[in-house]
Amino acid sequence: MQLGLIGLGKMGGFMAERIHNAGHTVVGFDFSAEAVSKIASTGNVGASSLEDMVKKLDAPRAVWLMVPSGDPVDKTIAELEKFLSPGDIIIDGGNSFYKDSIRRHDAAVAKGFQFVDCGTSGGVWGLKEGYSMMIGGDKEPVEHLRPIFEALAPAPDKGWGHVGPAGAGHFVKMVHNGIEYGMMQAYAEGFTIMEKKEVLDLNLPQIAKIWQYGSVVRSWLLDLTAEALEKNPTLDGLEAYVADSGEGRWTVFEAIDLNVSAPIITESLIRRIRSREENNFTDRMIAIQRNAFGGHAVKKD
């Protein structure tokens, strides 16, 4: 089976390689000529433009987008549709907002195209471990794409599934990432507590390795944490700045809209935002209030 792939960054490149290893062909396009050349060197086919990519695909065509969420997705689809034919399938495999995916599905169908939203998890480890895919859209195009999903998944019958109508794939991936925020925060807080207990001289890499086997808190995320601690036990040279892709925010907003209490995910998001504030005004306000009512000392620069 052929698949057009737009966006040949690290994850897109690994996906192309995994698909090719399963006996399929990827026709890839990226604004980076180096990325296009690299994908061609792996046995896949490089394209010089969106039009060139579409010409190299057999009908009905399937084109997978791995581009940043928001406006870049809309612009790419608008340009891509100029070269597609009725019945062709557009797959958004990035971290798009689920309401945007519903809108894009309806617009594509109205023009005679098909649209599938695929929440994709696995990151740079997907080439080796396979990708977890949460898929939304109509049944017909999802079933048509089954060989691609089976090639990308950890196993043909594991790690992927058609979870619902348009938008469902990106909705489930949004919640998945919200849960991820909470898990990461819990690990980080636990290891920080142990790091601060200096009197016990705890070996954090050793403890992480112990927890990897038999422990209730063992997980792939813990495996990655253990590996990172082994390489840099004291986290030297790292800045305490944590970015977010937006999925955690969307999860919190959705929880509020649905009247669902989600304090762990919400606080995890707030902590990420807090990490970007240097000598923030909020903490200085609290310090001056404590000084005003209790005479507590205030540290000054």
Side-chain angles (χ1 to χ4, degrees):
M1 184 174 180
Q2 286 184 314
L3 179 74
L5 180 60
I6 303 171
L8 304 177
K10 187 171 288 186
M11 188 167 170
F14 286 154
M15 290 174 63
E17 188 172 344
R18 189 171 177 90
I19 292 169
H20 182 262
N21 290 342
H24 307 289
T25 301
V26 170
V27 180
F29 169 72
D30 193 283
F31 288 111
S32 166
E34 182 181 351
V36 174
S37 177
K38 186 174 180 179
I39 195 176
S41 70
T42 64
N44 286 299
V45 179
S48 59
S49 65
L50 291 180
E51 184 177 12
D52 183 45
M53 180 195 67
V54 172
K55 286 180 178 179
K56 291 178 177 178
L57 292 169
D58 298 330
R61 304 169 189 85
V63 181
W64 189 303
L65 279 62
M66 289 298 290
V67 299
S69 63
D71 196 46
V73 176
D74 286 320
K75 287 183 176 178
T76 302
I77 291 175
E79 186 65 21
L80 179 64
E81 287 178 342
K82 297 176 183 177
F83 313 113
L84 296 179
S85 301
D88 289 347
I89 307 169
I90 301 168
I91 310 110
D92 181 5
N95 284 331
S96 290
F97 185 44
Y98 80 98
K99 290 182 180 179
D100 288 338
S101 297
I102 295 172
R103 169 179 58 80
R104 289 168 184 147
H105 166 272
D106 294 347
V109 169
K111 298 173 184 176
F113 307 122
Q114 301 185 83
F115 183 92
V116 170
D117 55 288
C118 180
T120 312
S121 180
V124 296
W125 290 87
L127 175 60
K128 178 183 177 182
E129 304 288 343
Y131 296 91
S132 174
M133 292 167 290
M134 300 134 266
I135 303 157
D138 301 321
K139 183 177 180 180
E140 181 183 350
V142 173
E143 196 58 34
H144 178 79
L145 293 165
R146 174 179 287 272
I148 298 299
F149 295 135
E150 291 180 343
L152 286 169
D157 60 343
K158 291 183 175 68
W160 75 279
H162 185 192
V163 298
H170 281 148
F171 182 86
V172 174
K173 177 57 162 53
M174 175 190 75
V175 177
H176 164 283
N177 281 27
I179 293 170
E180 181 183 288
Y181 277 42
M183 292 174 65
M184 293 172 71
Q185 185 69 29
Y187 279 127
E189 291 177 6
F191 278 98
T192 300
I193 292 168
M194 291 188 288
E195 190 268 338
K196 291 296 183 183
K197 194 65 175 178
E198 296 177 358
V199 67
L200 297 182
D201 193 26
L202 299 173
N203 185 323
L204 300 190
Q206 177 201 26
I207 294 166
K209 287 184 178 180
I210 292 171
W211 287 356
Q212 283 181 275
Y213 303 95
S215 165
V216 172
V217 298
R218 66 187 184 274
S219 69
W220 182 53
L221 184 55
L222 178 62
D223 294 342
L224 298 176
T225 302
E227 183 178 341
L229 284 172
E230 187 173 25
K231 293 178 180 177
N232 189 355
T234 58
L235 308 184
D236 290 339
L238 299 179
E239 185 181 355
Y241 183 103
V242 186
D244 74 277
S245 63
E247 302 256 324
R249 297 176 185 232
W250 299 337
T251 304
V252 171
F253 298 157
E254 197 67 27
I256 293 170
D257 286 344
L258 295 171
N259 286 320
V260 173
S261 175
I264 303 302
I265 295 174
T266 303
E267 180 59 24
S268 298
L269 171 64
I270 298 302
R271 289 298 304 171
R272 290 196 180 198
I273 296 172
R274 182 68 168 272
S275 76
R276 304 162 205 168
E277 300 178 10
E278 185 176 345
N279 190 22
N280 66 80
F281 190 81
T282 304
D283 287 348
R284 283 183 281 153
M285 278 293 299
I286 294 172
I288 202 69
Q289 289 173 59
R290 292 182 74 248
N291 174 262
F293 71 71
H296 302 287
V298 177
K299 290 185 178 181
K300 299 181 178 180
D301 291 335

